[in-house]
């Protein structure tokens, strides 16, 4: 078998990432050697591969679903927004520059097309099947000329395209029809059919609409996936997360001890790798929420200042909202605070930044004895160490170089009293360390909270990925899907006017 598929979406957040992961997990359970691929990703949530390359975290999750090691081939172009108008461009896992949206789509994107296509072809030569994920919508007609992730890559590689629509938002039939009808005839030839996502209720009520859609477009539905609660799968873009009242809980279970533990995550601008807190939310009795007001820190047992693509901007935001003063009061009272990556930098004494913000020397919050200097080269690493008597694994993605001037050592950062800081993302996924850390937090907070002795974040993640595979296996026409992956787009698909303008 040598096949492939592009999973496109009618909109952003239609479910492309989870459907791609679900198809990968379903295929690997059938004995198919499969890999994920996304030619170009825009995300503030990233991951470091074993060879030291930075890729989108969603592709790392999909690789786990496929039970393969993630590599830069799976996400050759990563865009990391630094503002509403510009992004850092990461090519094959390494930053190559900062570009405006106009500069990127004005020419640089097409320069990347051949490297992207070469990565896809290398994967297709190695694996039985490659399941590609699109970006946004394939019908973004203003961007079609420079497209390297949707129909551009599908046409170059002759990939069949499955279009996913989120019916929970409403209007999914219009989205399916309109997406198809806005494509050029050569692109429409590759649109094999549709997959409905997040359906609630009796599927027989949907079938007349699917039949009419087939009559209108000549394309079938490959399945209707039900709405699934509590998947907790890695988000792709932190800029689209609703910060107010957001709670990421993958397990709903009572606490083992007498108290719950409340964790408040400061929703800083350009927040990156907020998936760091998923392992906390997976713990029974730990309640995680994102906050943006100082009064919301009052009842928190632990406050986390997470990673950010704009440390200086985050510092200004913390000060403007009174959160900086609230964090200083917490530190003085011996109440737990954890800074991760950009959050760790913000907790330090001084930042010298001529790279990210070009703001020069800026005072930090002064809660940790650390000076940070931003370097042109990005640190990308997969460190392993020990803290609180437990083995810890993590990954590092940062331009800031920390000079630690005191405190107790903590994961290449430091600790002063109840304030911890580290550049290590993902450390809380190490089960023994997470439990030891939560015991320290509970003691400092005066809570009778006891970490569950048997929570395995890795096992929970595997269960979630299996649930995605189950959704595909139980609610999609897998025989037809397998034929599509093996044989390519069906012949004779009709053109739906008007086509691309």
């Amino acid at each position: 078998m040598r096949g492939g598929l592009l999973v496109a979406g009618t909109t952003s957040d239609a479910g492309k990432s989870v459907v791609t992961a679900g198809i990968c997990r379903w295929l690997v359970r059938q004995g198919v050697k499969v890999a994920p691929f996304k030619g170009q990703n825009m995300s503030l949530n990233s991951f470091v591969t074993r060879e030291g390359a930075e890729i989108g975290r969603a592709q790392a999750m999909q690789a786990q679903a496929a039970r393969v090691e993630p590599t830069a081939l799976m996400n050759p172009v990563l865009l990391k927004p630094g503002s509403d108008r510009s992004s850092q461009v990461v090519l094959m896992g390494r930053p190559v520059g900062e570009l405006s949206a106009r500069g990127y789509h004005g020419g640089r994107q097409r320069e990347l097309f051949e490297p992207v296509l070469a990565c896809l072809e290398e994967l297709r030569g190695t694996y039985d099947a490659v399941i590609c994920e699109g970006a946004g919508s394939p019908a973004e007609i203003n961007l079609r000329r420079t497209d390297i992730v949707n129909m551009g890559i599908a046409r170059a590689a002759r990939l069949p395209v499955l279009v996913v629509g989120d019916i929970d938002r409403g209007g999914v039939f219009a989205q399916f029809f309109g997406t198809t009808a806005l494509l050029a005839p050569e692109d429409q030839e590759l649109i094999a059919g549709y997959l409905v996502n997040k359906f609630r209720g009796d599927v027989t009520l949907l079938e007349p609409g699917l039949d009419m859609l087939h009559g209108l477009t000549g394309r079938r539905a490959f399945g209707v996936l039900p709405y699934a609660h509590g998947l907790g799968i890695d988000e792709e873009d932190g800029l689209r997360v609703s910060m107010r009242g957001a709670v990421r809980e993958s397990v709903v279970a009572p606490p083992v001890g007498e108290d719950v533990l409340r964790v408040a995550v400061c929703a800083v601008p350009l927040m990156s790798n907020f998936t760091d807190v998923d392992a906390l939310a997976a713990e029974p009795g730990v309640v995680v929420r994102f906050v943006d007001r100082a009064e919301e820190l009052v009842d928190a047992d632990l406050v986390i200042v997470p990673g950010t693509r704009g440390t200086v901007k985050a510092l200004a935001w913390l000060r403007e909202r009174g959160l900086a003063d609230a964090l200083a009061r917490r530190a003085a009272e011996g109440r737990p605070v954890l800074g991760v990556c950009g959050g760790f930098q913000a907790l330090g004494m001084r930042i010298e930044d001529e790279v990210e913000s070009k703001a020069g020397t800026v005072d930090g919050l002064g809660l940790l004895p650390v000076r940070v200097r931003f370097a042109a080269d990005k640190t990308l690493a997969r460190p392993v160490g020990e803290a609180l008597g437990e083995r810890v694994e993590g990954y590092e993605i940062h331009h800031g170089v920390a000079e630690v001037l005191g405190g107790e050592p903590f994961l290449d950062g430091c600790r002063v009293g109840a304030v911890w800081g580290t550049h290590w993302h993902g450390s809380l996924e190490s089960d023994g360390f997470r439990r030891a850390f939560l015991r320290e937090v509970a003691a400092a907070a005066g809570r009778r909270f006891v970490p569950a002795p048997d929570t395995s974040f890795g096992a929970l993640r595997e269960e979630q990925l299996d649930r995605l595979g189950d959704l595909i296996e139980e609610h999609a026409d897998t025989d037809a899907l397998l034929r599509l992956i093996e044989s390519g787009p069906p012949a004779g698909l009709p053109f739906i006017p008007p086509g691309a303008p």
Side-chain angles (χ1 to χ4, degrees):
M1 175 183 182
R2 279 288 183 268
L5 176 71
L6 175 71
V7 178
T10 57
T11 62
S12 296
D13 292 331
K16 299 182 292 291
S17 294
V18 294
V19 168
T20 300
I23 293 174
C24 285
R25 178 50 60 102
W26 161 65
L27 283 173
V28 78
R29 294 195 309 207
Q30 310 308 307
V32 177
K33 186 181 179 184
V34 59
F37 176 81
K38 185 162 185 172
Q40 171 200 294
N41 194 351
M42 177 174 280
S43 180
L44 285 168
N45 279 337
S46 58
F47 181 78
V48 179
T49 67
R50 293 205 181 277
E51 72 267 30
E54 184 180 10
I55 65 171
R57 188 157 175 111
Q59 279 61 66
M61 175 269 292
Q62 291 161 356
Q64 185 177 351
R67 296 179 180 148
V68 296
E69 189 66 35
T71 73
L73 292 172
M74 298 171 184
N75 179 208
V77 179
L78 173 64
L79 305 178
K80 301 193 73 175
S83 70
D84 290 340
R85 293 177 177 270
S86 67
S87 295
Q88 183 181 68
V89 181
V90 179
L91 175 63
M92 292 304 294
R94 295 287 173 180
V96 294
E98 197 92 12
L99 281 178
S100 67
R102 181 174 294 277
Y104 183 70
H105 291 287
R108 184 63 191 272
Q109 189 177 31
R110 289 302 299 178
E111 295 174 13
L112 299 173
F113 183 72
E114 290 304 323
V116 166
L117 190 59
C119 289
L120 174 58
E121 291 308 310
E122 185 170 343
L123 288 174
R124 295 186 78 182
T126 305
Y127 291 88
D128 300 331
V130 179
I131 308 303
C132 307
E133 179 188 346
S137 162
E140 291 169 348
I141 53 180
N142 57 315
L143 302 177
R144 176 62 183 90
R145 183 179 61 84
T146 57
D147 171 45
I148 64 172
V149 66
N150 288 309
M151 302 311 300
I153 200 78
R155 196 193 294 188
R158 296 301 300 171
L159 292 171
V161 179
L162 180 68
V163 181
V164 178
D166 180 356
I167 197 171
D168 197 50
R169 298 179 174 192
V172 75
F173 292 116
Q175 292 170 20
F176 284 142
F177 183 87
T179 296
T180 308
L182 277 177
L183 299 177
E186 296 84 357
D187 289 344
Q188 286 195 26
E189 290 175 3
L190 304 175
I191 302 294
Y194 313 109
L195 186 72
V196 177
N197 191 29
K198 296 184 181 179
F199 180 73
R200 306 173 192 250
D202 184 351
V203 72
T204 60
L205 299 176
L206 193 65
E207 288 171 354
L210 297 176
D211 291 339
M212 285 186 276
L213 183 68
H214 184 257
L216 288 166
T217 67
R219 292 158 175 85
R220 55 164 297 174
F222 281 77
V224 178
L225 306 185
Y227 194 103
H229 294 275
L231 285 173
I233 295 298
D234 296 351
E235 300 280 358
E236 192 167 87
D237 191 347
L239 295 177
R240 288 200 299 266
V241 174
S242 173
M243 303 305 178
R244 299 295 311 143
V247 179
R248 295 173 61 82
E249 288 183 289
S250 51
V251 172
V252 179
V256 175
E258 297 179 46
D259 289 343
V260 298
L261 208 63
R262 296 173 176 84
V263 179
V265 184
C266 296
V268 297
L270 298 174
M271 183 169 57
S272 61
N273 287 69
F274 57 82
T275 47
D276 282 336
V277 304
D278 284 356
L280 293 179
E283 282 284 349
V286 175
V287 179
V288 179
R289 67 182 188 272
F290 291 90
V291 304
D292 58 10
R293 294 196 298 253
E295 54 266 34
E296 293 177 291
L297 304 191
V298 174
D299 67 343
D301 302 307
L302 169 65
V303 174
I304 296 178
V305 186
T308 171
R309 180 77 166 93
T311 302
V312 170
K313 183 180 289 188
L315 267 170
W317 182 88
L318 290 168
R319 288 182 168 121
E320 288 166 3
R321 292 177 171 265
L323 289 159
D325 291 338
L327 288 167
R329 287 193 296 271
R330 288 186 65 90
E333 295 165 0
R335 302 178 65 201
V337 175
L338 171 65
V340 180
C341 200
F344 166 44
Q345 296 165 7
L347 296 180
M349 300 161 55
R350 190 179 72 199
I351 295 171
E352 296 176 17
D353 182 11
E354 299 291 351
V355 175
E356 190 174 77
S357 69
K358 298 179 173 60
T361 301
V362 177
D363 288 336
L365 300 184
L367 305 185
L368 290 174
V370 175
R371 287 199 295 252
V372 176
R373 177 184 54 81
F374 274 67
D377 293 335
K378 181 183 283 191
T379 296
L380 297 168
R382 289 278 294 269
V384 177
E386 184 176 301
L388 305 180
E390 300 286 346
R391 186 176 186 274
V392 188
E393 295 183 26
Y395 56 99
E396 294 185 65
I397 307 169
H398 54 92
H399 282 280
V401 179
E403 180 185 5
V404 178
L405 303 172
E408 301 175 42
F410 176 73
L411 300 181
D412 291 343
C414 65
R415 170 187 182 179
V416 175
V419 181
W420 293 266
T422 178
H423 272 133
W424 291 23
H425 294 289
S427 63
L428 293 167
E429 295 180 18
S430 297
D431 297 326
F433 167 71
R434 183 180 64 254
R435 286 191 278 269
F437 178 71
L438 289 175
R439 283 192 290 269
E440 292 246 353
V441 168
R447 294 288 185 187
R448 290 172 293 183
F449 169 84
V450 178
D454 55 355
T455 301
S456 167
F457 183 74
L460 288 171
R461 175 52 53 89
E462 278 296 304
E463 289 174 14
Q464 291 167 338
L465 294 172
D466 274 331
R467 286 181 63 196
L468 291 181
D470 292 343
L471 285 173
I472 298 299
E473 188 167 343
E474 296 169 10
H475 300 283
D477 185 339
T478 52
D479 289 340
L481 197 57
L482 195 60
R483 286 195 299 273
L484 188 65
I485 294 169
E486 287 182 316
S487 304
L493 293 171
F495 170 71
I496 309 301

